[in-house]
Amino acid sequence: MNLIKARFLYFATLTLTLLLFASCDGDEEGANPGNTDDSIILGFSQIGAESAWRTYNSLSVKEAAEEAGIQLLFENAEQKQAKQIKAIRSFIVYQVDVIAFVPIVADGWDNVLTEAKDAGIPVLVTDRKINTADETLYAGFIGTDSIREGREAALFLQKKFASSERANPVRIVEISGTEGASCVIGRAEGFREIIESDGSFEIVYSFSGDFLKSKGYEIMHSILDKISDIDVLYSHNDGMTLGAIEAMKERGIRPGSDIVIVTIDAEQAAIDALRRGEVNCVIECNPRTGPVIMDLARKLAEGETIRRLIHVEEEVFTEWDDLDAIEPRGY
Ligand code: AHR
């Protein structure tokens, strides 16, 4: 949008927006009513702080905005889609230059994104994807390739259980993340694509732990009450894995030996568990997206088109690697 017009609207809507932001209880940054320069204003709706991964992802966005000289209006939705929609609406009223958001679930964004489109504000989707029949509602996506993450988890298990001495079938328990989130759908889909075509594996139980460590702990206890002979835990994030490991230890089960564990994110704590032999495979989900988001936001604010799909680089760490060579993670 024209920057002069944006600044005019910025002051014209100031009173209303101050009221709006006062009613939000997430943290806010960069709302600077005194700003008269031409810097870009980015409204960012984050989903919450459910994991160490998420906290680091928020930090990456905040640090990169500061570094790039972009004014950031940062809203934390505390795991509620309704709060994200409210935040996006407030960004539209505010006439920000660009909106970026992490969609907590894939469905249900068309109305608010149509409002953003009608207001002429480009939207960047990040980390998780959306389902929409109208691809013009957002400019592009930057984030993880969750189908690939699921495939990597399955490929590790195929190698791990390649020997003829394996249990047949290999019995897998899955603890997944927030229902309806694109990364959960992708991690389940990529995993099943390989596991189900193999024939030597069976998913005996699958339950959502909402990406929370406390739920990983509770679910693992309740699984162990119901099911014996578990060969594998496939967990959609490290937080839930660490909770599940605690539960296993309380039952006298040796994580990583009695039960093979594959986990996603690559937090420092999971890498430490891999080094201790309590986890067998860690698949990285890269949270360091802030700098690329700022670069894309600047391009969008200047009216450029951006690539529709950018998947970030991600590694896989296994028990067979040189574990001393893994760099400190930072999260
Ligand atoms: O969307 C990415 C996922 O959300 C991460 O794997 C998880 O830890 C986070 O909370």
Side-chain angles (χ1 to χ4, degrees), residues 47 50-54 102 127-128 144 149 183 187 211 236-239 264-265 267 285:
I47 60 176
E50 72 281 4
S51 60
W53 187 98
R54 180 67 53 204
V102 177
D127 175 29
R128 299 184 185 176
T144 193
E149 291 169 341
C183 57
R187 287 168 189 178
F211 288 125
H236 284 210
N237 90 341
D238 292 342
I264 299 177
D265 274 359
E267 290 177 12
C285 177

Coordinates of all heavy atoms in Angstrom, one line a residue, residues 47 50-54 102 127-128 144 149 183 187 211 236-239 264-265 267 285, ligand 1:
I47 N 0.7 -18.3 17.7 CA -0.4 -19.1 18.4 C -0.3 -19.2 19.9 O -1.3 -19.5 20.5 CB -0.5 -20.5 17.7 CG1 0.8 -21.3 17.9 CG2 -0.9 -20.4 16.3 CD1 0.7 -22.7 17.3
E50 N 3.3 -22.9 23.6 CA 3.0 -24.3 24.1 C 4.3 -25.1 24.2 O 4.3 -26.1 24.9 CB 2.0 -24.9 23.1 CG 2.6 -25.3 21.7 CD 2.6 -24.2 20.7 OE1 2.4 -23.0 21.2 OE2 3.0 -24.4 19.6
S51 N 5.4 -24.7 23.6 CA 6.6 -25.5 23.6 C 7.9 -24.6 23.6 O 7.8 -23.4 23.2 CB 6.6 -26.4 22.3 OG 6.6 -25.6 21.2
A52 N 9.0 -25.2 23.9 CA 10.3 -24.4 23.8 C 10.5 -24.0 22.4 O 11.0 -22.9 22.1 CB 11.4 -25.2 24.3
W53 N 10.1 -24.8 21.4 CA 10.2 -24.5 20.0 C 9.5 -23.2 19.7 O 10.0 -22.4 19.0 CB 9.6 -25.7 19.2 CG 9.8 -25.6 17.7 CD1 10.8 -26.2 17.0 CD2 9.1 -24.8 16.8 NE1 10.7 -25.8 15.7 CE2 9.6 -25.0 15.5 CE3 8.0 -24.0 16.9 CZ2 9.2 -24.4 14.4 CZ3 7.5 -23.3 15.8 CH2 8.1 -23.5 14.5
R54 N 8.2 -23.2 20.2 CA 7.4 -22.0 19.9 C 8.0 -20.7 20.5 O 8.0 -19.7 19.8 CB 6.0 -22.2 20.4 CG 5.0 -21.1 20.2 CD 4.6 -20.9 18.7 NE 4.2 -22.2 18.1 CZ 4.2 -22.4 16.8 NH1 4.7 -21.6 16.0 NH2 3.8 -23.6 16.4
V102 N 0.7 -17.5 12.1 CA 0.9 -19.0 12.2 C -0.5 -19.5 12.5 O -1.1 -19.4 13.5 CB 1.8 -19.3 13.4 CG1 1.9 -20.8 13.6 CG2 3.1 -18.7 13.3
D127 N 5.0 -21.2 9.3 CA 5.1 -22.4 10.1 C 4.0 -23.4 9.8 O 4.4 -24.5 9.4 CB 5.0 -22.0 11.6 CG 5.0 -23.2 12.5 OD1 5.6 -24.3 12.1 OD2 4.5 -23.2 13.6
R128 N 2.7 -23.1 9.9 CA 1.7 -24.1 9.6 C 0.9 -23.6 8.4 O 0.8 -22.4 8.2 CB 0.7 -24.3 10.8 CG 1.5 -24.8 12.0 CD 0.5 -25.0 13.2 NE 1.3 -25.4 14.3 CZ 0.8 -25.6 15.5 NH1 -0.5 -25.5 15.7 NH2 1.5 -26.0 16.6
T144 N 7.9 -25.2 7.7 CA 8.4 -26.5 7.7 C 7.6 -27.4 6.7 O 6.5 -27.1 6.3 CB 8.2 -27.1 9.1 OG1 8.9 -28.3 9.2 CG2 6.7 -27.4 9.4
E149 N 8.8 -34.5 7.2 CA 9.2 -34.9 8.6 C 8.6 -36.2 9.0 O 9.3 -37.1 9.5 CB 8.7 -33.8 9.6 CG 9.4 -32.5 9.6 CD 8.7 -31.4 10.4 OE1 7.5 -31.5 10.7 OE2 9.3 -30.4 10.7
C183 N 0.6 -29.2 10.4 CA 1.9 -29.9 10.7 C 1.5 -31.3 11.3 O 2.2 -32.3 11.0 CB 2.8 -29.2 11.6 SG 2.2 -28.7 13.2
R187 N 2.6 -34.6 9.4 CA 3.4 -35.6 10.1 C 2.8 -37.0 10.2 O 3.4 -38.0 10.1 CB 3.7 -35.1 11.5 CG 4.7 -33.9 11.5 CD 4.9 -33.2 12.8 NE 5.7 -32.0 12.6 CZ 6.0 -31.1 13.5 NH1 5.6 -31.2 14.8 NH2 6.7 -30.0 13.2
F211 N 0.8 -30.9 21.7 CA 2.2 -30.4 21.8 C 2.6 -30.0 23.2 O 3.6 -29.2 23.3 CB 2.3 -29.2 20.8 CG 2.3 -29.5 19.4 CD1 1.4 -28.9 18.5 CD2 3.2 -30.4 18.8 CE1 1.4 -29.2 17.1 CE2 3.2 -30.7 17.5 CZ 2.3 -30.1 16.6
H236 N 5.0 -36.3 18.0 CA 5.1 -35.1 17.0 C 5.9 -33.9 17.6 O 6.1 -33.0 16.8 CB 3.7 -34.7 16.7 CG 3.0 -35.6 15.7 ND1 2.0 -35.1 14.9 CD2 3.0 -36.9 15.5 CE1 1.5 -36.1 14.1 NE2 2.1 -37.2 14.5
N237 N 6.2 -33.9 18.9 CA 7.2 -32.9 19.3 C 8.0 -33.3 20.5 O 7.6 -34.2 21.2 CB 6.6 -31.5 19.4 CG 6.0 -31.2 20.8 OD1 5.8 -32.1 21.6 ND2 5.8 -29.9 21.1
D238 N 9.1 -32.6 20.7 CA 10.0 -33.0 21.8 C 9.4 -32.8 23.2 O 9.7 -33.6 24.1 CB 11.3 -32.1 21.7 CG 12.1 -32.5 20.5 OD1 11.9 -33.5 19.9 OD2 13.0 -31.6 20.1
G239 N 8.6 -31.7 23.3 CA 8.0 -31.5 24.7 C 7.2 -32.8 25.1 O 7.4 -33.3 26.2
I264 N 10.1 -35.1 17.0 CA 10.3 -34.0 16.1 C 10.5 -32.7 16.8 O 9.9 -32.4 17.8 CB 9.1 -33.9 15.1 CG1 8.9 -35.1 14.3 CG2 9.2 -32.6 14.2 CD1 7.7 -35.2 13.4
D265 N 11.4 -31.8 16.3 CA 11.7 -30.4 16.7 C 13.2 -30.2 16.8 O 13.7 -29.2 16.3 CB 11.1 -30.0 18.1 CG 9.7 -29.5 17.9 OD1 9.2 -29.4 16.8 OD2 9.1 -29.2 19.0
E267 N 14.9 -29.8 19.9 CA 15.3 -28.9 21.0 C 16.5 -29.5 21.6 O 16.8 -30.7 21.5 CB 14.2 -29.0 22.1 CG 12.9 -28.3 21.7 CD 11.8 -28.4 22.8 OE1 12.2 -28.9 23.9 OE2 10.7 -28.1 22.5
C285 N 12.7 -29.5 13.3 CA 11.7 -28.6 12.7 C 12.3 -27.2 13.0 O 12.6 -26.9 14.2 CB 10.3 -28.8 13.5 SG 9.1 -27.6 13.0
Ligands
AHR1 O1 4.1 -26.0 14.2 C1 5.3 -26.5 14.7 C2 5.1 -27.2 16.0 O2 4.4 -26.5 16.9 C3 6.3 -27.7 16.7 O3 6.7 -29.0 16.3 C4 5.8 -27.8 18.1 O4 6.8 -28.0 19.0 C5 5.1 -26.5 18.1 O5 4.5 -26.2 19.3

